[in-house]
Each structure stands twice: as structure tokens, then as C-alpha cells.
Amino acid sequence: MGKDLDDKPGILVVDDDAIMRDLIADWLEAAGYAVRKFDGCHAGAAALEAARPALVVSDMWMPGPRGAEAIRWIHQRHPGLPLIAISGHFGSGQGCSEREALGAGAARVFAKPVKRAELLGAVAELIGPPPK
């Protein structure tokens, strides 16, 4: 579980911003990870129920369950599944704060704009490097 058919660690990327979603997925795929992309909480939750990934990378400010509520839901349904929370709203007073995301169970948090090297470093720390 957590691996896709080609035996690369599977990562679920959820963001309603198509540009950010595609950018993060492109970085991860170029690094060698298998990625599934979804444009919102409900689609991401359905995908998570269908096949457990090795990691979730999710925006925290989207329609539907979001922020700390979404993180808690994931951890209740899938204990031990690491999640990287990203948001353009950390520190804005809207949605959850970085502290709340970590308190709810996020393994790492990044404010947008996300830096490629930091994201890839966190992914490698959490699920290991992609297979060669």
C-alpha cells in the first residue's frame, strides 16, 4: 500500500489552484515520484478512500472541509499517513495557522509560494527518496 503500479511511492496532491497543483505535481514527478492530482477536498477524499497513498500534499484553503478539520479527518481515517499542508493563508488570520495545522497532525507546513527544494526535501524525509 502507498505504492503505485510502477512501484514508485504514490503521492496525492490536492489543490483547487490548477497552476499550483500542476507545479507541485510536476516537481514530484520530475523527482521520480508517482502522483495523483485532485482539485478539491471531496475529490481528494474519495481518491484517498479508493487507494491509500504514501503521502498527501494538500492546500489548506479550499471549498469543503479544510485546514485542521481536513487534517484531523485524514488522520482519523488513515492513522500514520503523513500530510504536508500548504497554504497562501498561513499567517493571514483566515483558515488554520501553521501551528494549528501541525497540532492537527500535519507532518510539515509550507506557506505559498512553496520552494521546490524545501518541498522535495520534506517529501524525501517523510517517505524516502524515489526509486532509481
Side-chain angles (χ1 to χ4, degrees), residues 32-96:
Y33 296 100
V35 176
R36 293 182 294 143
K37 303 182 290 186
F38 296 92
D39 64 359
C41 296
H42 297 296
L48 187 57
E49 293 301 301
R52 181 182 165 130
L55 172 71
V56 174
V57 177
S58 183
D59 184 22
M60 293 288 100
W61 187 255
M62 298 181 285
R66 61 180 168 246
E69 176 187 356
I71 296 167
R72 282 191 286 275
W73 180 87
I74 289 170
H75 284 293
Q76 287 173 345
R77 308 269 312 190
H78 304 279
L81 176 63
L83 179 136
I84 295 175
I86 59 172
S87 181
H89 292 274
F90 286 146
S92 72
Q94 293 182 332
C96 71

